[in-house]
Amino acid sequence: MPASVTEDLASYLNAKQGKNWKHLAGLMDYSTPFTQNLELEPREATQRLLQEWMQKTGSTVFRLYCLLQKLGRDDAINVLLPFLTTPKTRGEVDV
């Protein structure tokens, strides 16, 4: 995922209140000590969270989309939409 996308997501999720990066970290199964560590630099919390999460097996744009959907963060979801593709069915070809 390009750095610009991470920065765009951070502009929505680095908020101090609401369904922010802390809620996202919880959905990603990160521990309280991990999130407390991220709180030391709140302006970089989303960026650091996503950087760590992207190293995990199974971390995809679609998975992040699903997590943001669970949070009800349509604003952040819109940032990811250009990076989602629809899977092709058997026998389907590009036109």
Side-chain angles (χ1 to χ4, degrees), residues 3 18 24 33 46 51 54 57-58 70 72-73 85 93-94:
L24 181 59
T46 299
Q51 183 179 32
M54 286 186 278
T57 302
K70 283 183 181 180
R73 292 304 304 257
T85 58
V93 294
D94 290 328

Side-chain angles (χ1 to χ4, degrees), residues 18-89:
K19 299 287 184 178
N20 60 10
W21 65 269
K22 290 180 191 179
H23 294 272
L24 181 59
L27 289 176
M28 292 174 167
D29 293 324
Y30 282 103
S31 66
T32 299
F34 178 80
T35 58
Q36 288 172 336
N37 186 40
L38 293 180
E39 284 180 313
L40 297 174
E41 295 181 53
R43 291 184 180 180
E44 299 291 322
T46 299
Q47 296 92 319
R48 292 177 55 211
L49 172 64
L50 293 175
Q51 183 179 32
E52 175 69 27
W53 182 76
M54 286 186 278
Q55 302 304 313
K56 289 184 169 186
T57 302
S59 300
T60 64
V61 172
F62 182 70
R63 178 75 180 124
L64 181 57
Y65 170 88
C66 293
L67 293 170
L68 292 170
Q69 202 170 38
K70 283 183 181 180
L71 287 179
R73 292 304 304 257
D74 293 337
D75 52 354
I77 286 171
N78 287 331
V79 173
L80 296 179
L81 289 179
F83 299 93
L84 295 175
T85 58
T86 55
K88 292 187 172 124
T89 57

